[in-house]
Amino acid sequence: MKTRFRPVLLLALLFAAATLYLSSLPSAALPWFTKCEGGSPAWLDTLVEEIKVLGYPGFQLSVADVNGQRMDCAAGWSSPIPGTAPLNLNHRMRYASLSKILTSSVAIQLIDEGLLNPELHLVDLLEITGPFVDERMASIRIDDLLRHKAGFDRALTPDPMMQPHPWCPGNLAALKSIRLDHDPGSHFAYANIGYCLLGAVISGIEDKSLDQVFHDRLLNPLSLQSIRALRHGEIFQDEPQAFFDDAHESQNDLLAIDYAASLATGAWSGTASDFMSLLISLFARNEHALLSDQAQTLIFKVASECDFNKWRTCHGYGFYKYKPVGQKAMYWRDGSLPGVTAFAAVFEDGTKVVFLANGRTYDWMASNDRIGQLLYQLITGDRSGR
């Protein structure tokens, strides 16, 4: 009996030792597995090396060029332990704030259909009457919400959408007792709460749950049932394991988010390829597009006086605009949650890119900026930097 179990025990010990050794290695120490369908970008290896430096286990990438040719790639690993199971094209990734593209797209559809006006006031649409502790609350417009100029500033007041029990969208009367950080329309400050309120307006106009609105208007017409809303405290079976900066955050922080309250801001998931299918259908130039030509012009609208040469500065109705002098314009949005990095962009020539990673650094904004600017340089051939 002892003889029979000795090889099994030896193999188990060898496997444990190998796992321990691999887990001690940085992600950059091993060659990365990569797999692409439809070809691969010539610059994929450059991107892989950059993501290795950041320490992310792996990523999915989807690119559609000016001719509509698609390339879908997966690189790296589905676990923080390098050399284990590769990340594949079908792993479910969290979209984080790329989810806001769904919200802004439906808002633009409603504006295009005459069902919503960007000059209308939030409290009127939500049928909330005063008195308000901050009288400026009554002057917030849909335009302000879309452009992150409603007066909320998470740098000054903690982001309610990242709290265990956000007051939006379930207790909108809380608007009566909240003080704004800025005059509406006067100051750009990225705010999840603004898009949550926009989602509440959309749900009210459509007289449906926001989940149903997104399915009816965006996902069902494309048969994209694979794009699904996340649930509090749960990891889907087809999700990869994520890398967390253990000194600052963990999987518990990711699972603590109230995803039911975050449908308008960061609750959706799928593959990079799924999200690319959505972008292609939103911004097609034919009768099958989810956004009309007029609506596409509107969602890319950014104040003309903004300096487009500056990164993460000029936000319009759906995206940031970045355009170095003499170069192509890129309309982009990124996302970040514990263990999650996301980036998507549409270029003025029609090129599109989606990047999703199962990891993030605690200083996530600097890392996201690094990825976004690198993708711009790789796709446009611009090596001048920011």
Side-chain angles (χ1 to χ4, degrees), residues 1-2 55-56 67 88 91 95 112 134 205 209 259 319 385:
M1 186 71 70
K2 291 181 180 179
Y56 301 163
N67 300 313
N88 65 52
H91 271 116
Y95 291 155
D112 192 41
D134 190 332
I205 291 173
S209 70
Y259 290 103
F319 298 87

Side-chain angles (χ1 to χ4, degrees), residues 332-386:
W332 64 274
R333 174 174 288 286
D334 65 334
S336 183
L337 290 171
V340 177
T341 296
F343 184 89
V346 179
F347 290 76
E348 63 178 331
D349 66 1
T351 302
K352 302 169 185 69
V353 63
V354 178
F355 171 93
L356 304 172
N358 55 330
R360 80 165 182 183
T361 58
Y362 188 66
D363 182 20
W364 66 266
M365 191 174 292
S367 297
N368 278 27
D369 291 346
R370 186 171 170 178
I371 292 168
Q373 291 164 25
L374 177 63
L375 285 169
Y376 179 87
Q377 294 164 17
L378 294 173
I379 289 172
T380 65
D382 174 24
R383 298 294 187 271
S384 61
R386 189 157 65 92

Side-chain angles (χ1 to χ4, degrees), residues 126-168:
L126 296 179
E127 299 181 348
I128 297 175
T129 58
F132 297 97
V133 167
D134 190 332
E135 294 180 354
R136 298 175 296 176
M137 193 68 69
S139 64
I140 297 175
R141 303 165 302 152
I142 297 301
D143 177 276
D144 300 322
L145 296 174
L146 284 164
R147 296 193 296 144
H148 293 280
K149 287 192 170 186
F152 304 103
D153 191 337
R154 62 184 181 180
L156 300 176
T157 302
D159 184 351
M161 299 310 299
M162 300 307 293
Q163 302 301 314
H165 304 289
W167 56 261
C168 180

Side-chain angles (χ1 to χ4, degrees), residues 24-138:
S24 70
L25 293 175
S27 180
L30 289 174
W32 268 24
F33 174 90
T34 59
K35 177 179 175 59
C36 294
E37 293 183 355
S40 64
W43 41 261
L44 180 60
D45 288 345
T46 302
L47 181 62
V48 165
E49 292 307 311
E50 181 71 16
I51 302 308
K52 283 184 180 181
V53 171
L54 290 174
Y56 301 163
F59 65 86
Q60 290 178 352
L61 176 75
S62 186
V63 180
D65 67 17
V66 293
N67 300 313
Q69 179 182 352
R70 290 181 58 165
M71 295 174 282
D72 295 309
C73 298
W77 312 103
S78 63
S79 163
I81 301 175
T84 55
L87 190 73
N88 65 52
L89 296 170
N90 297 316
H91 271 116
R92 176 174 302 279
M93 312 291 280
R94 297 185 178 225
Y95 291 155
S97 282
L98 299 192
S99 302
K100 292 184 179 72
I101 294 175
L102 280 69
T103 307
S104 57
S105 295
V106 172
I108 296 302
Q109 285 180 331
L110 294 173
I111 292 170
D112 192 41
E113 295 165 14
L115 300 175
L116 181 61
N117 188 316
E119 296 303 316
L120 292 177
H121 291 99
L122 170 68
V123 295
D124 294 337
L125 289 164
L126 296 179
E127 299 181 348
I128 297 175
T129 58
F132 297 97
V133 167
D134 190 332
E135 294 180 354
R136 298 175 296 176
M137 193 68 69

Side-chain angles (χ1 to χ4, degrees), residues 210-335:
L210 194 60
D211 178 271
Q212 191 61 53
V213 173
F214 286 168
H215 276 90
D216 288 349
R217 283 185 167 268
L218 302 177
L219 305 181
N220 291 348
L222 304 177
S223 298
L224 278 176
Q225 283 76 26
S226 51
I227 294 181
R228 298 173 60 187
L230 298 157
R231 295 189 289 263
H232 173 79
E234 293 188 23
I235 297 285
F236 283 120
Q237 188 174 5
D238 53 353
E239 287 187 66
Q241 295 180 43
F243 164 77
F244 300 92
D245 184 345
D246 292 335
H248 299 98
E249 57 192 15
S250 69
Q251 182 171 282
N252 290 337
D253 298 306
L254 179 66
L255 299 184
I257 296 168
D258 188 339
Y259 290 103
S262 303
L263 290 170
T265 60
W268 294 88
S269 69
T271 66
S273 180
D274 290 336
F275 205 84
M276 178 58 75
S277 294
L278 177 62
L279 289 183
I280 288 172
S281 294
L282 283 169
F283 303 115
R285 289 295 182 178
N286 57 49
E287 67 276 13
H288 302 297
L290 293 175
L291 293 176
S292 69
D293 289 353
Q294 178 178 330
Q296 291 182 40
T297 299
L298 191 59
I299 201 170
F300 292 132
K301 176 184 176 183
V302 181
S304 58
E305 65 271 16
C306 197
D307 185 353
F308 304 137
N309 189 55
K310 293 182 178 178
W311 184 264
R312 202 181 285 276
T313 299
C314 302
H315 195 288
Y317 274 9
F319 298 87
Y320 290 99
K321 182 176 180 178
Y322 176 62
K323 188 182 186 305
V325 176
Q327 301 295 326
K328 294 178 183 177
M330 177 176 77
Y331 300 89
W332 64 274
R333 174 174 288 286
D334 65 334

